[in-house]
Amino acid sequence: MENNDKNQMNQENTNENMKFETEPKSELDILKAKIDSQKEEIDEKDDRIKRLMAEFDNFKKRSDKERVGLYNSVMGDVITKLLPVIDNLEKAVASETQDSGYKEGVEMVLKQFKDVLTSNGVKEIETVGKLFDPSLHEAVSTVEDSTLGKNIIKEEFRKGYMIGDKVLRHSLVVVAN
């Protein structure tokens, strides 16, 4: 009987030891699993944050581009209405007059207008001696000229203007050959 009792006690001790050893392992496994799930959750949130930051950056770029486009459009509308005034001032400067003070005054006003255009990003479209580009120029006639190459602009009738990449008014030109 003593042997049985000893065996039984040994078995109980072994069971207790096993319980003790398995309990910490299972707790450790639980903690490891918890840590792994939290790492996955952190990775998912980190990925979401990165995506939101990229979306926000794209939104800012798109908004800036739209703002610049809207600004150019509004400025273009206003400046387009002023272009005939500038044309008339250029004609007045080109005309002959006996009054040099009058001519200087008109030249000063024209210069002020052109400075305002330049400060707002408006440029004159280059024409004479340049290759004809239908997106920038409008041909009103063609002439034969052996001194110029094919599709080279010989003369300008009316200046064209652009703001940024947008053409406000096409140049009216005479194209050679």
Side-chain angles (χ1 to χ4, degrees):
M1 186 119 164
E2 267 184 41
N3 254 351
N4 257 350
D5 284 337
K6 279 184 182 177
N7 282 343
Q8 193 175 4
M9 280 178 74
N10 281 340
Q11 194 171 2
E12 285 176 11
N13 284 341
T14 308
N15 285 342
E16 282 181 33
N17 285 343
M18 289 177 99
K19 281 183 186 177
F20 183 73
E21 288 177 11
T22 56
E23 283 179 18
K25 277 189 176 180
S26 66
E27 280 183 40
L28 186 62
D29 290 342
I30 290 170
L31 290 175
K32 283 182 180 179
K34 205 173 202 180
I35 288 171
D36 288 342
S37 71
Q38 287 178 345
K39 280 183 180 178
E40 285 179 21
E41 189 177 325
I42 288 171
D43 288 343
E44 287 174 17
K45 287 182 179 181
D46 188 47
D47 185 53
R48 279 201 335 234
I49 288 171
K50 286 178 182 175
R51 289 178 189 270
L52 282 172
M53 287 173 58
E55 284 180 31
F56 182 67
D57 191 43
N58 289 340
F59 170 76
K60 282 186 354 185
K61 288 177 185 175
R62 190 173 49 250
S63 294
D64 286 345
K65 188 176 180 181
E66 288 173 359
R67 183 182 49 78
V68 168
L70 182 62
Y71 173 80
N72 286 346
S73 179
V74 169
M75 284 300 294
D77 290 345
V78 171
I79 290 171
T80 299
K81 292 178 181 173
L82 292 175
L83 292 179
V85 175
I86 294 171
D87 291 341
N88 289 333
L89 287 171
E90 287 176 338
K91 288 176 186 173
V93 166
S95 68
E96 292 294 322
T97 182
Q98 300 295 328
D99 189 353
S100 63
Y102 171 78
K103 186 167 185 149
E104 273 183 43
V106 174
E107 287 173 348
M108 287 172 53
V109 172
L110 177 61
K111 184 184 178 320
Q112 280 182 319
F113 264 111
K114 288 190 174 188
D115 289 345
V116 168
L117 293 180
T118 303
S119 68
N120 285 292
V122 178
K123 312 180 273 191
E124 290 181 4
I125 297 173
E126 295 182 22
T127 55
V128 177
K130 301 291 179 183
L131 184 64
F132 176 77
D133 181 355
S135 65
L136 302 173
H137 311 113
E138 185 177 332
V140 290
S141 69
T142 58
V143 293
E144 291 295 323
D145 190 335
S146 59
T147 61
L148 296 173
K150 186 174 181 172
N151 288 334
I152 300 297
I153 298 171
K154 178 177 176 139
E155 190 178 342
E156 176 182 66
F157 282 127
R158 184 184 74 190
K159 286 187 179 177
Y161 295 89
M162 56 191 308
I163 185 168
D165 293 337
K166 180 182 177 187
V167 174
L168 299 175
R169 181 174 80 179
H170 291 81
S171 299
L172 294 180
V173 297
V174 175
V175 181
N177 306 318

